[in-house]
Coordinates of all heavy atoms in Angstrom, one line a residue:
I22 N 63.7 72.7 92.8 CA 64.8 73.2 92.0 C 66.0 73.4 92.9 O 67.1 73.1 92.5 CB 64.4 74.5 91.3 CG1 63.3 74.3 90.3 CG2 65.6 75.2 90.7 CD1 62.7 75.6 89.7
Q23 N 65.8 73.9 94.1 CA 66.9 74.2 95.0 C 67.6 72.9 95.4 O 68.8 72.7 95.5 CB 66.5 74.9 96.3 CG 66.1 76.4 96.0 CD 65.5 77.0 97.2 OE1 65.0 76.4 98.1 NE2 65.7 78.4 97.3
E49 N 102.1 59.7 93.2 CA 102.8 59.0 94.3 C 103.4 57.7 93.7 O 104.6 57.3 94.1 CB 101.9 58.7 95.4 CG 102.5 58.0 96.6 CD 101.6 57.8 97.8 OE1 100.5 58.4 97.8 OE2 101.9 57.0 98.7
A50 N 102.6 56.9 93.0 CA 103.1 55.7 92.4 C 104.3 55.9 91.5 O 105.3 55.1 91.5 CB 102.0 54.9 91.7
I53 N 107.6 56.7 93.2 CA 108.4 55.5 93.7 C 109.3 55.0 92.6 O 110.5 54.7 92.8 CB 107.4 54.4 94.1 CG1 106.5 54.9 95.3 CG2 108.2 53.2 94.5 CD1 105.4 53.9 95.6
M61 N 113.6 46.2 94.3 CA 112.4 46.2 95.2 C 111.6 47.4 95.1 O 110.4 47.4 95.2 CB 112.9 45.9 96.6 CG 113.6 44.6 96.9 SD 112.8 43.2 96.1 CE 111.3 43.1 97.1
P83 N 96.5 53.6 85.0 CA 97.3 52.7 85.8 C 97.8 51.4 85.1 O 98.9 51.0 85.3 CB 96.3 52.3 86.9 CG 95.4 53.5 87.0 CD 95.2 54.0 85.6
Y89 N 104.3 49.2 81.4 CA 105.7 49.6 81.3 C 106.6 49.2 82.4 O 107.7 48.7 82.2 CB 105.7 51.2 81.2 CG 107.1 51.8 81.3 CD1 108.0 51.6 80.4 CD2 107.4 52.5 82.5 CE1 109.3 52.1 80.5 CE2 108.7 53.0 82.6 CZ 109.6 52.8 81.6 OH 110.9 53.3 81.7
V94 N 110.9 45.9 85.5 CA 111.3 44.9 86.5 C 112.0 43.7 85.8 O 113.0 43.2 86.3 CB 110.1 44.5 87.3 CG1 110.5 43.3 88.3 CG2 109.5 45.7 88.1
D102 N 121.8 41.7 92.1 CA 122.0 40.5 92.9 C 120.8 40.0 93.7 O 120.7 38.9 94.0 CB 123.2 40.8 93.9 CG 124.5 41.0 93.2 OD1 124.7 40.5 92.1 OD2 125.4 41.7 93.8
P105 N 114.3 38.9 93.1 CA 113.5 37.8 93.7 C 113.5 36.5 92.9 O 113.2 36.5 91.7 CB 112.1 38.4 93.8 CG 112.3 39.9 93.8 CD 113.5 40.1 92.9
L108 N 110.3 35.4 91.1 CA 109.8 36.3 90.0 C 110.4 35.9 88.7 O 111.6 35.9 88.5 CB 110.2 37.8 90.4 CG 109.3 38.9 89.8 CD1 107.9 38.7 90.2 CD2 109.9 40.3 90.3
I114 N 106.6 39.7 81.4 CA 106.3 40.3 80.0 C 104.9 39.9 79.6 O 104.2 40.6 78.9 CB 107.4 39.8 79.0 CG1 108.8 40.3 79.5 CG2 107.1 40.4 77.7 CD1 108.9 41.8 79.8
N125 N 94.1 49.4 76.9 CA 93.6 49.6 75.5 C 92.1 49.4 75.5 O 91.4 50.2 74.8 CB 94.3 48.6 74.6 CG 94.0 48.9 73.1 OD1 93.9 50.1 72.7 ND2 93.9 47.9 72.3
L130 N 88.1 55.0 72.8 CA 88.2 56.2 71.9 C 89.4 57.0 72.3 O 89.5 57.6 73.3 CB 86.9 57.0 72.1 CG 85.6 56.4 71.7 CD1 84.4 57.3 72.0 CD2 85.6 55.9 70.3
M186 N 111.0 60.1 69.6 CA 112.2 60.9 69.5 C 113.3 60.3 70.4 O 114.5 60.2 70.1 CB 111.9 62.3 70.0 CG 111.1 63.1 69.0 SD 110.9 64.8 69.7 CE 109.8 65.5 68.6
G195 N 124.8 55.5 68.9 CA 125.6 54.2 69.1 C 127.0 54.3 68.8 O 127.5 55.3 68.2
E196 N 127.8 53.3 69.1 CA 129.3 53.3 68.9 C 129.7 53.4 67.4 O 130.7 53.8 67.1 CB 129.9 52.1 69.5 CG 129.8 52.0 71.0 CD 130.6 53.1 71.7 OE1 131.7 53.4 71.2 OE2 130.1 53.7 72.7
A205 N 122.7 64.8 66.1 CA 121.3 64.7 65.8 C 120.5 63.9 66.9 O 119.4 64.3 67.3 CB 121.1 64.0 64.5
L209 N 117.5 65.3 69.4 CA 116.2 64.6 69.6 C 115.9 64.3 71.1 O 114.8 64.5 71.5 CB 116.2 63.3 68.8 CG 116.0 63.3 67.3 CD1 116.1 62.0 66.7 CD2 114.6 63.9 67.0
S224 N 102.7 61.4 85.6 CA 101.9 60.2 85.8 C 100.5 60.2 85.1 O 99.9 59.2 84.9 CB 101.7 59.9 87.3 OG 100.9 60.9 87.9
L245 N 130.4 62.0 71.8 CA 130.6 63.1 70.8 C 132.0 63.7 71.1 O 132.7 64.1 70.2 CB 129.5 64.2 71.0 CG 129.6 65.4 70.1 CD1 129.7 65.0 68.6 CD2 128.5 66.4 70.4

Side-chain angles (χ1 to χ4, degrees):
I22 294 175
Q23 290 176 333
E49 182 178 345
I53 298 171
M61 299 311 296
Y89 169 67
V94 174
D102 295 330
L108 206 54
I114 300 307
N125 194 33
L130 299 177
M186 288 182 188
E196 293 295 323
L209 281 176
S224 67
L245 178 60

